[in-house]
Structure formats: structure tokens, C-alpha cells
Amino acid sequence: MTPQIEFSGVNKYYGAYHALKNVELSIKKGSFTALVGPSGCGKSTLLRSLAGLESISSGTLKIAGDVMNKVPPRKRDVAMVFQSYALYPHMTVEENLTYSLRIRGTPKAEARKAAEEVAATTGLSHLLGRYPRELSGGQRQRVAMSRAIIRHPKAFLFDEPLSNLDAALRVHMRKEIRALHDRLGATSVYVTHDQIEAMTMADHVVVMRAGVIEQQGRPLDLYDRPVNKFVAGFIGSPAMNFLPAVGSEDGRSLVVDVGAPQTVPISTNVEPGRKVIAGIRPEHISVVAADSGLMRVAVSVVESTGSMSYITTATRPELAIVETGRTDVSAGDLIGLSFAPQSVHVFDAGTEERIG
Amino acid sequence: MSDTYREKLMLAIALVLAAIYLFPLYWMYITALKSGSAMFATPPAFWPTDPQWQIYGQVWESRNMGRYIWNSVVIALGAVTVITVLGVGCAYVLARYRNVWVDIGLFLILMLQVLPASLMITPIFVGFSQVGLLEYPRLAVILAIAAKSMPFFVVLVRATFMSVPQELEEAALVDGNSRIGAFFSIVLPLARNGILVSAILIFMQAFGEFVYSKSIIQAIELQPASVGLNSFMGPNTNEWNNIMAYATIYVTPILAIFVLLQRRIVSGLTSGALK
Ligand SMILES: Nc1ncnc2c1ncn2[C@@H]1O[C@H](COP(=O)(O)OP(=O)(O)OP(=O)(O)O)[C@@H](O)[C@H]1O
Ligand SMILES: [Mg+2]
């Protein structure tokens, strides 16, 4: 099956600035793809190139099998939800929703009916006569979504659509957008800098840095096998702990340096003496009695939310540990740490690429 | 110094300044209503004791003011039309594209604004006479005023366009509209107020324009009211009340427009300027 969206060898320059570097990305019909990465990494640029709002400098972009490089936005048949929502301020909600239909010459009555149907599914029925300035942030967000779904485009593009909402509404809308996507059988590309949004909503996560796709795949694959230190640190919350380490004599363990050298077993082979970085997720470390476990460390801070306890150690570098439930550890205690050899990720100290 | 005291002082200063500034206007209105002898009385009366209302009708008839005002309106409307049609597109491009050439263009436009009309009139006159435009003197004046006032309009309207978020236009493009369609259905309606206000300011400028009209239009029946007023004032004039009545008839409509629309004009100017 031809992919619904396909970037091959796409580069984008802004003058001398190389904003997208050799992007290879293929998006299946009906999938939900999230683009994540730190600010300025090129997520919006990628999305805007897809919509036709930016032209690509080289490579090919296909939508539903057709080359789109030179096709203007209006002929690409995609719908976009902007971060600022970009609602037309001089039009009512209904006029906003039907704008795209009216341009295509849909008869008035038909457009009106479509608006009413969409409004019913997004809970906007009673607001159709209002102007955008008379709506709350959450309602505006819904109008922006409704405006996108009123026609049946080849793809939905979202550029950080939830970043202006409060935390509770954001969690709620996350589910709603995903449910909408499933119900419409749509193909969605969703830009966010929030990796939790990406992990929870998407089938396919694309991690970008400085214009380069660092890794893409299913959310849990990225979590389980990050290809480099950047992805490892970006995916997962709280972030993975990184410790400088060297391969030990037997080749199956590392000597990590957390103030005092400690030997920890790993599940991959590392040449003796090779400088590496050991990564371990806070939720994979468990606290045990001080005289057992793989490491012995002092506690510097304990924070508890009731359901979770966050422990920070007094080592250098600090280690973060997450325990579910409550903990009887308190600041100043000496504790032991234990973790499975498979949960240690090893990266080369120079290239920061994954080993094993 | 307490705050209320300070406010009162500021208000007083403002009133004094406004009074100084508006005094000529006030003097124009009352002089028009004075009889010939009251006009030259010492000390002058600050309020006409015997207002001569019939003077307006007399001046209107004797100076043939209807024709002059009509010419002023034709010239002002013509200039506003030319400027709006050409200037809106220009302002839009200057608002949306940023590069060195646009900056240079903007700089040149602002330079034009600096040149005084009395300096420009000679080359304009020579140029127009060579292409035969002086055969149509009102059209020639319209073009000259348009050239003179265009920069002002473009700079104001550009600021208005810049306050319309680009994302709205992009949303319209993705929604299926063309560049031109998005301009007419999204950008123009949102910039309408700013454009209207700028056009009104241009109209008022053009309505009172003197230098170009005086130099280019020789035929009395084509001259605007500003030139008519000037020819009313000979070297030995003593009919100041008639002249002031003429001036009153001429400026009162513009003042009325300004007062009626002043809130919109001021907000239009600043809302464009702030962004
Ligand atoms: N029109 C432009 N001209 C020049 N450089 C640009 C332009 N638009 C974006 N850039 C640059 O391209 C890079 C990528 O920008 P982009 O907007 O895609 O980032 P982003 O990943 O969406 O970031 P954010 O999360 O902050 O929205 C940035 O370094 C930005 O400065
Ligand atoms: Mg962005």
C-alpha cells in the first residue's frame, strides 16, 4: 500500500540555515504520527512543508502517492489546526466552520447542515452564532478542530494545538482528539514538544533534533530501545539518569562513577576500558536496604505526591529514582539501589550512540 | 505634590494650549459674523453683538462657491481613489515580504514624504506639460496629490496589514483559498478600519491642497476652494468678514467629519501603530 504521506530526502533551507536535513518519513493511512523534539528543531517547518506553507528545497514530498513539491496548499487537501487556532475574527463560528466549504462552492443549505453536524459532535451547537472573541480558550480550540474535520481531508495536521490550554483540559482533549481520529479513520500528524502527549496519543513517534530525525517508531519501542542518548533523555518522564562509566575487565559489566566507583552488571558486551555512558530510567531503580543492592548512596531530597515518591541522591551526578506509593526513606538516609542488567542502556561516550 | 493636584495642573495646561491652538479657528467663526465696523473696532469684541447670518448666503452666491467646493470634492475623491487602489496593494506587499529590497523600497517611500510640495511642483509641472497632462488640469492635480500623499497612506496601511496575523491567511490557504482569495476574504476585511481611516485622512489633506492646484489649474471654473479663497484675498483686502465666511463654509464640513469620526481615527492610528 502506498503511504498516505511520504517525505524522501527532504531538505529545507532558510537562506543559509539548514532547517530540515535529509528527512525520510513515511506515514501510513489511518495512523496517528507525533513529531516531538525541543524548541527550534524543525517540527513546525516539517508540518508547514507538508501543508504547502513552506516550499522544500530538495527531495520529494508525496501525499496519497502524488508528488506535492510544487502544489499550492489549496490543492493538497489537508486540514491544519494552528497553535493560535487562527480563527477568522470577523466571522461567526458557523462561518468559520463553513469557510472551506463555501470556497469550494458547496450550496449554503448543505454547508449549514454540515456545520450543524460537526458542531453537534464537538459540543458547539449552542455557539454557532458567536464570534471567536466571545468564546473561551477551550471553545476556540474546539472550533479550530471542527473547522478541520468539516471536510474530509487526506490528512489532519496539528501544530501544538493544546499548548494554550490548562493542564486538566489538555489531558481531556488529548483523549478527545485521539477518539476523533479513530472515529473519522483519519490520517493525523501531530506536532508537540510534550513527549507525554506524543507517547499517549500516537501510533508512530518521530523524535527530531536540529532538523534531523533522530529516531522514529512505536512509542514503547522508543522507550525501550532509544538509539542514542538524546532520544533516551527526551523520551520518558522523569528523564533517564546518565552516568559516566567504563567497560570492566569481564566485558559484561560497567564501572560507574557516582563519587565512588561501583560495578554494575549489564546485558550487553562492552570492551574493557571503553568509555561509555550508562543510562537508567528512574522508574527502573528500586530502593533496597543499604547493605544489599548494587550501589550504596545517600539521599538528598525526597518529594512525594501521595501516589509517587521522587528520590534524589546526594551523589555526583545526582540520580533520580521513582517509587510508586509512599516511601519511608528520608533525606540523609543511606540506601541501596538495585536494578536489572537489561534496564541499563549503554551509549558510547563520544558519539552518544547506543551500544548493543 | 498630590496626584489630583498634578492632574488638575496638567488639565489646565492642556486647556491653555488647546485654547491657543484653537483661537484662530474661533476668530474665523466670529469675524465672519461681524459687521464691517465691528470688525475694526478697538478693543475687538470677542463675541459678535449683532451677528450677520445672511453673510453666508451672500458669499456663497457672489463667489460662486458651489463650483469651487465641487472641484475640491472631485480632486479629493479622485486622489483618494487613486491612492487607495494603488496604495493598498503596495502596503500589503511591504507588510508581508521582508528583505533588503523591501527595506530599500520603504526607505525611498519615506524619503518621498520628506520632499515639500513647493519643491516638487516645478519638475511635476514640466513633466506634465511634456506629456500633455496639463490639458486635463484636475486630473493632473489628482495625480500630483496622489504621488505626494501615497507614502503617508502606504506607511499607515502597512502598519494595519502587519497587525493582521499571517496565520489567518495561512489558515485560509490550507482551507482551500488562493492567495488573492485569502487577501480579499480575510486580510482586507480585517484591515478595513485602518484603510478607511487612512483614506479619510488623505481626503482631508487633498480637500485642502493648495500648491499643486494653484500652479497647475489656470481656468477659474476648474479651481478648487483653496485657490478660490486665495484669489479672494487681494493685497488691499478689507472684507475680512466675507473671507472668514468663505473659510467657514469651506472648513466646517471637514471639521465635522473629523469630530464625528475622531474616536475611530485615533484608535485606527494607534491600533495600527502599536503592533
Ligand atoms: N521563516 C524563517 N526564516 C528563517 N529561519 C526560520 C524561519 N522559520 C523557522 N526558522 C528556523 O528554523 C528552525 C526550526 O523552526 P521551527 O519553527 O520548525 O521549530 P519548532 O520545532 O516548531 O519549534 P517550536 O517547538 O519552538 O515551535 C528554527 O531554528 C527557526 O529559527
Ligand atoms: Mg513550532
Side-chain angles (χ1 to χ4, degrees):
Chain A
M1 207 172 90
T2 52
Q4 184 76 346
I5 296 168
E6 193 175 13
F7 286 86
S8 28
V10 168
N11 286 283
K12 167 73 188 171
Y13 290 89
Y14 287 113
Y17 182 77
H18 201 171
L20 292 179
K21 297 174 188 158
N22 203 23
V23 168
E24 298 282 342
L25 176 60
S26 155
I27 293 172
K28 280 212 291 280
K29 191 170 177 158
S31 71
F32 196 112
T33 301
L35 303 178
V36 276
S39 189
C41 69
K43 308 179 294 286
S44 299
T45 305
L46 189 66
L47 201 70
R48 291 166 55 82
S49 314
L50 182 48
L53 298 173
E54 303 282 354
S55 59
I56 55 177
S57 311
S58 66
T60 25
L61 163 62
K62 289 184 187 169
I63 297 179
D66 301 322
V67 176
M68 288 288 147
N69 289 25
K70 294 259 180 299
V71 176
R74 75 194 136 104
K75 295 198 178 138
R76 296 196 182 194
D77 193 21
V78 297
M80 185 155 170
V81 178
F82 291 82
Q83 177 173 356
S84 66
Y85 310 146
L87 303 180
Y88 311 127
H90 56 306
M91 298 185 192
T92 62
V93 169
E94 180 176 331
E95 286 165 343
N96 264 281
L97 297 191
T98 56
Y99 183 74
S100 60
L101 302 180
R102 284 182 284 138
I103 290 166
R104 289 175 174 74
T106 312
K108 258 207 176 106
E110 210 173 297
R112 163 160 228 141
K113 197 160 145 275
E116 276 161 6
E117 275 170 22
V118 169
T121 66
T122 50
L124 290 172
S125 298
H126 58 298
L127 301 173
L128 281 176
R130 294 230 194 138
Y131 283 92
R133 63 174 174 277
E134 301 164 341
L135 301 176
S136 73
Q139 290 166 336
R140 283 178 206 175
Q141 212 282 328
R142 278 164 201 275
V143 176
M145 298 270 303
S146 311
R147 190 171 68 179
I149 62 180
I150 195 161
R151 58 204 170 96
H152 301 280
K154 294 207 182 82
F156 290 105
L157 314 181
F158 300 89
D159 195 352
E160 312 209 15
L162 303 184
S163 56
N164 293 336
L165 303 181
D166 69 45
L169 194 53
R170 207 147 61 204
V171 171
H172 174 75
M173 286 307 294
R174 221 149 78 186
K175 292 204 197 72
E176 249 184 48
I177 291 178
R178 180 66 219 216
L180 204 60
H181 165 91
D182 291 337
R183 193 156 48 75
L184 298 171
T187 307
S188 304
V189 183
Y190 188 101
V191 165
T192 173
H193 59 259
D194 178 354
Q195 54 95 18
I196 298 198
E197 258 179 34
M199 297 290 281
T200 50
M201 296 174 79
D203 313 313
H204 190 82
V205 175
V206 178
V207 183
M208 296 183 65
R209 173 172 60 165
V212 175
I213 295 186
E214 295 281 347
Q215 188 175 5
Q216 49 179 310
R218 286 180 300 175
L220 293 184
D221 290 348
L222 264 59
Y223 178 87
D224 291 336
R225 283 188 65 81
V227 296
N228 57 30
K229 184 181 166 219
F230 172 76
V231 176
F234 196 79
I235 299 288
S237 169
M240 187 184 276
N241 297 298
F242 294 109
L243 304 168
V246 286
S248 61
E249 293 303 321
D250 62 3
R252 296 292 296 176
S253 56
L254 297 176
V255 179
V256 301
D257 180 12
V258 285
Q262 316 230 14
T263 304
V264 300
I266 50 173
S267 60
T268 48
N269 290 318
V270 175
E271 305 95 80
R274 180 169 179 183
K275 282 206 165 71
V276 296
I277 296 164
I280 177 140
R281 297 195 182 278
E283 57 272 31
H284 292 158
I285 303 177
S286 41
V287 175
V288 294
D291 44 8
S292 61
L294 296 162
M295 290 182 185
R296 212 159 83 119
V297 296
V299 173
S300 84
V301 181
V302 178
E303 295 158 310
S304 188
T305 62
S307 63
M308 293 287 199
S309 303
Y310 299 89
I311 301 168
T312 310
T313 65
T315 53
R316 216 165 254 279
E318 291 177 342
L319 286 173
I321 301 151
V322 179
E323 294 262 276
T324 42
R326 305 188 179 203
T327 178
D328 43 16
V329 173
S330 52
D333 289 357
L334 269 184
I335 54 170
L337 302 180
S338 110
F339 39 82
Q342 309 85 276
S343 61
V344 181
H345 304 259
V346 188
F347 306 100
D348 184 87
T351 63
E352 303 193 341
E353 295 296 316
R354 182 184 190 85
I355 299 170
Chain B
M1 205 190 284
S2 78
D3 270 0
T4 54
Y5 184 71
R6 193 198 194 91
E7 260 172 37
K8 276 181 188 152
L9 186 73
M10 290 301 190
L11 186 65
I13 293 174
L15 284 177
V16 169
L17 288 178
I20 293 172
Y21 190 70
L22 291 177
F23 184 76
L25 200 62
Y26 164 75
W27 205 241
M28 174 190 86
Y29 279 113
I30 62 153
T31 308
L33 293 174
K34 285 180 181 174
S35 62
S37 54
M39 205 165 42
F40 294 108
T42 22
F46 282 85
W47 197 250
T49 40
D50 176 24
Q52 312 283 311
W53 295 107
Q54 77 292 349
I55 194 167
Y56 294 119
Q58 284 168 9
V59 170
W60 179 272
E61 288 298 323
S62 67
R63 304 303 305 184
N64 206 348
M65 276 194 72
R67 193 187 63 207
Y68 282 126
I69 298 268
W70 169 248
N71 286 330
S72 288
V73 169
V74 166
I75 289 173
L77 277 183
V80 166
T81 311
V82 171
I83 288 177
T84 309
V85 169
L86 297 180
V88 164
C90 174
Y92 176 70
V93 171
L94 290 175
R96 278 296 181 257
Y97 294 91
R98 291 289 1 216
N99 61 40
V100 184
W101 295 109
V102 167
D103 286 344
I104 292 174
L106 207 58
F107 178 75
L108 289 177
I109 285 177
L110 286 170
M111 279 286 290
L112 278 178
Q113 179 72 40
V114 175
L115 301 174
S118 41
L119 183 94
M120 299 282 287
I121 182 59
T122 313
I124 285 181
F125 191 88
V126 173
F128 280 5
S129 95
Q130 274 168 0
V131 297
L133 256 178
L134 295 182
E135 302 290 308
Y136 313 95
R138 284 187 302 189
L139 176 64
V141 170
I142 287 172
L143 292 180
I145 293 176
K148 167 78 183 142
S149 296
M150 182 80 88
F152 178 60
F153 181 84
V154 167
V155 168
L156 284 184
V157 174
R158 173 174 176 266
T160 309
F161 279 136
M162 286 175 78
S163 70
V164 177
Q166 186 143 18
E167 278 203 343
L168 294 182
E169 238 176 303
E170 292 175 346
L173 293 182
V174 176
D175 265 350
N177 218 332
S178 60
R179 204 67 214 257
I180 293 179
F183 175 75
F184 280 107
S185 70
I186 306 293
V187 183
L188 209 51
L190 292 174
R192 192 188 55 203
N193 269 2
I195 295 173
L196 264 181
V197 166
S198 310
I200 288 169
L201 291 177
I202 294 288
F203 181 88
M204 298 198 300
Q205 263 187 13
F207 195 70
E209 200 284 331
F210 174 70
V211 176
Y212 291 151
S213 310
K214 171 80 179 166
S215 322
I216 294 176
I217 307 179
Q218 314 298 342
I220 290 179
E221 55 285 1
L222 296 179
Q223 282 172 349
S226 55
V227 179
L229 178 60
N230 179 254
S231 54
F232 199 168
M233 291 193 286
N236 307 315
T237 303
N238 59 3
E239 11 169 13
W240 289 112
N241 49 352
N242 289 338
I243 291 173
M244 290 305 163
Y246 185 113
T248 302
I249 297 173
Y250 182 25
V251 301
T252 304
I254 312 184
L255 281 179
I257 296 178
F258 191 83
V259 169
L260 282 177
L261 296 180
Q262 66 95 15
R263 181 169 294 168
R264 281 192 113 174
I265 291 176
V266 170
S267 78
L269 280 179
T270 51
S271 74
L274 278 181
K275 261 225 157 158

